[in-house]
């Protein structure tokens, strides 16, 4: 028998998980994080679990490509030490 296929998940249908006895502090942190990211508590919990249990492994070449892309997106002007010092002082006033 073929597994039921859902348009969004294919054959990997989601499973329900109920969490009990969540410490109040952890619940409040999850709730605050969900609000910050404009997610439901359930979605935020899934994102947190995915980030811990399904970490993304990037190759060295992937990391270098990302760094080069970020560097290329920066403005082409060069900062001098005096400019950096001036910006620091400006932020302290």
């Amino acid at each position: 028998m073929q597994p039921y296929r859902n348009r969004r998940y294919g054959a990997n249908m989601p499973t329900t998980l109920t969490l009990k006895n969540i410490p109040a502090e952890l619940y409040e942190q999850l709730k605050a994080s969900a609000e910050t990211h404009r997610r439901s508590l359930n979605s935020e919990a899934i994102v947190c679990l995915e980030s811990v249990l399904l970490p993304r492994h990037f190759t060295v070449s992937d990391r270098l490509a990302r760094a080069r892309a970020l560097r290329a997106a920066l403005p082409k002007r060069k900062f001098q030490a005096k400019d950096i010092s001036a910006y620091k002082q400006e932020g302290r006033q």
Side-chain angles (χ1 to χ4, degrees), residues 16-79:
T16 299
L17 171 69
T18 301
L19 299 175
K20 297 179 181 180
N21 304 321
I22 299 172
E25 183 179 336
L26 180 61
Y27 174 80
E28 291 302 324
Q29 286 181 309
L30 184 64
K31 185 177 176 182
S33 182
E35 289 174 5
T36 299
H37 297 116
R38 296 182 175 191
R39 295 183 183 125
S40 66
L41 278 170
N42 187 72
S43 294
E44 190 66 22
I46 290 171
V47 169
C48 290
L49 288 170
E50 285 175 342
S51 70
V52 172
L53 299 175
L54 301 174
R56 296 181 183 160
H57 295 285
F58 295 104
T59 64
V60 173
S61 59
D62 290 340
R63 289 182 189 270
L64 285 172
R66 177 74 173 135
R68 288 181 179 130
L70 289 170
R71 186 179 299 144
L74 292 173
K76 298 301 177 197
R77 73 182 239 207
K78 293 186 179 186
F79 291 101

Side-chain angles (χ1 to χ4, degrees), residues 81-93:
K82 65 178 182 168
D83 296 329
I84 295 170
S85 294
Y87 288 131
K88 285 181 185 178
Q89 290 301 320
E90 183 180 305
R92 293 180 182 155
Q93 296 174 2

